[in-house]
Amino acid sequence: MTATAPDDHRELPGRIMAREMAEQPAVLRRILAEGAPAIRQVAERIAARAPRFVLLTARGTSDNAALYAKYLLEIRLGLPCGLTSMSTVTAYGARPDLTDVLAVTVSQSGGSPDLVASTRAAREAGAITLAVTNNPDSPLAGVSEYHIDIMAGPERALPATKTYTASLLALYLFTEGLRGGDGAPARVLPDLAQRLLARHDEVRALAGRYRFAERMVITSRGYGYPTAKEAALKLMETSYIPALSYSGADLLHGPLAMVDNVSPVIAVVTDGRGGEALQPVLDRLRGRGADLMVVGPGRHVEKASAGFVLPTEGVPEEIQTVLEIIPLQLLAYEVTIARGQDPDAPRALAKVTETH
């Protein structure tokens, strides 16, 4: 598929983001068909070294993918995980003992200096280092002992879409490889992703509801929490709507007070234990008269002010995350277009963010 010319980009705002969202089923198929053997091989090599702890490092959209990996590794393998604070190494010069620690750095470009410096320092401190990127020739891949290529192809729109779902799938396959699994349940994802994208008109209708929103709250629990954070990021960076993401549990500890019948609330309800844990939150939101949109199973959507039904029947809870974000990517896109803005080129942002 050829790149969009600059003139075409100006004539059709959002054309690049729309195209890259549409590529997601093909990217997922490519990872399953071509990338899975290499991911399994990396997982087997790392499993043989028996890491005792996992540190996950990332920024932005990749940070939300890393949070998903934290849930996977702790729930599926019982491995304790932490999200790193890179400034402890890059700004303060701390050098903790990372012997037998698996340090996983997730980055679309693999080019941010702080990610590279943090990973290099982790390796020097004794960590097993793994880079998960969309660029096997990146500086981050070069300083890491192991690398996983998410195989998403070039991503030109500033809002990351296909690299996010590709990262989720790659991290799922890696986690399954660590525990000796083959990731077979993920084979349903490309077709289901295609079905979700075909429902773009449903999302466009929902977008009209939120065109003039001044603030949004997005909440979930468990495997859905990374989706809530990523959806909030997509809305903020494309439409500039302040979108606040909370774990359902955290929402009840104070922020619930700001919820009213004006500011919309989006609840990502995973079909499984995460959704069950979110039920008291949904009850409280309805009790406050919130304008509640649910993304999840039909039985929850029908009790909300608005919603989008996900095809979750028979899909394991731990991989629903790959599907949940797709209608919310579409929502961010459509809200932005409705507000007369260009989701391809959010103001003040660059594709590679060079933090130090």
Side-chain angles (χ1 to χ4, degrees), residues 48-65:
R49 298 174 65 174
R52 59 183 172 86
F53 191 89
V54 181
L55 284 175
L56 296 150
T57 303
R59 296 232 186 256
T61 284
S62 294
D63 196 35
N64 299 327

Side-chain angles (χ1 to χ4, degrees), residues 71 74-76 220-225 247-249 268-282 297 299-300 312 315-321 324:
Y71 278 91
E74 291 188 342
I75 295 170
R76 306 285 286 172
S220 189
R221 290 204 69 179
Y223 287 113
Y225 183 40
S247 156
V268 181
V269 184
T270 303
D271 196 0
R273 294 188 182 183
E276 293 168 7
L278 194 63
Q279 278 308 300
V281 183
L282 299 177
R299 65 184 181 278
H300 296 294
T312 57
V315 180
E317 180 179 3
E318 60 269 17
I319 59 173
Q320 291 175 32
T321 314
E324 290 165 349

Side-chain angles (χ1 to χ4, degrees), residues 87 96 250 337:
S87 62
D250 288 333
I337 294 294

Side-chain angles (χ1 to χ4, degrees), residues 46-47 51-56 73 79-80 82 98-105 126-130 146 174 178:
I46 291 175
R52 59 183 172 86
F53 191 89
V54 181
L55 284 175
L56 296 150
L73 291 161
L79 267 176
L98 299 182
T99 305
D100 298 329
V101 170
L102 171 60
V104 181
T105 306
I128 307 162
T129 52
L130 168 65
Y146 299 99
F174 171 68
L178 288 176

Side-chain angles (χ1 to χ4, degrees), residues 222-307:
Y223 287 113
Y225 183 40
T227 305
K229 290 177 69 65
E230 175 62 10
L233 177 59
K234 283 293 154 289
L235 283 161
M236 288 189 287
E237 69 182 352
T238 56
S239 70
Y240 318 141
I241 296 174
L244 309 174
S245 59
Y246 294 100
S247 156
D250 288 333
L251 185 62
L252 295 183
H253 285 266
L256 184 68
M258 71 177 172
V259 173
D260 52 31
N261 61 358
V262 177
S263 298
V265 178
I266 299 175
V268 181
V269 184
T270 303
D271 196 0
R273 294 188 182 183
E276 293 168 7
L278 194 63
Q279 278 308 300
V281 183
L282 299 177
D283 293 339
R284 292 285 296 276
L285 289 169
R286 285 191 289 263
R288 291 188 61 82
D291 179 359
L292 177 63
M293 171 183 164
V294 167
V295 175
R299 65 184 181 278
H300 296 294
V301 171
E302 64 189 18
K303 298 177 184 178
S305 307

Side-chain angles (χ1 to χ4, degrees), residues 79-265:
L79 267 176
C81 299
L83 299 174
T84 60
S85 300
M86 278 177 279
S87 62
T88 62
V89 171
T90 60
Y92 291 92
R95 291 296 184 267
D97 180 3
L98 299 182
T99 305
D100 298 329
V101 170
L102 171 60
V104 181
T105 306
V106 186
S107 171
Q108 299 151 42
S109 69
S112 186
D114 59 348
L115 294 171
V116 175
S118 176
T119 301
R120 182 185 293 111
R123 189 169 182 179
E124 292 171 353
I128 307 162
T129 52
L130 168 65
V132 180
T133 82
N134 196 38
N135 183 2
D137 298 319
S138 63
L140 179 60
V143 300
S144 299
E145 188 175 358
Y146 299 99
H147 178 257
I148 287 175
D149 184 358
I150 66 171
M151 307 180 73
E155 188 172 58
R156 293 184 171 85
L158 285 174
T161 54
K162 63 178 181 174
T163 54
Y164 179 65
T165 49
S167 296
L168 297 180
L169 178 54
L171 289 164
Y172 168 75
L173 293 174
F174 171 68
T175 302
E176 288 301 288
L178 288 176
R179 63 196 296 267
D182 62 1
R187 294 171 190 162
V188 302
L189 292 175
D191 288 344
L192 291 176
Q194 191 72 59
R195 284 168 52 187
L196 291 172
L197 288 163
R199 295 165 60 190
H200 197 148
D201 287 347
E202 285 183 52
V203 179
R204 187 176 294 115
L206 287 169
R209 185 183 186 95
Y210 306 118
R211 177 179 179 181
F212 299 108
E214 295 183 359
R215 181 186 68 201
M216 299 182 77
V217 174
I218 307 176
T219 188
S220 189
R221 290 204 69 179
Y223 287 113
Y225 183 40
T227 305
K229 290 177 69 65
E230 175 62 10
L233 177 59
K234 283 293 154 289
L235 283 161
M236 288 189 287
E237 69 182 352
T238 56
S239 70
Y240 318 141
I241 296 174
L244 309 174
S245 59
Y246 294 100
S247 156
D250 288 333
L251 185 62
L252 295 183
H253 285 266
L256 184 68
M258 71 177 172
V259 173
D260 52 31
N261 61 358
V262 177
S263 298
V265 178

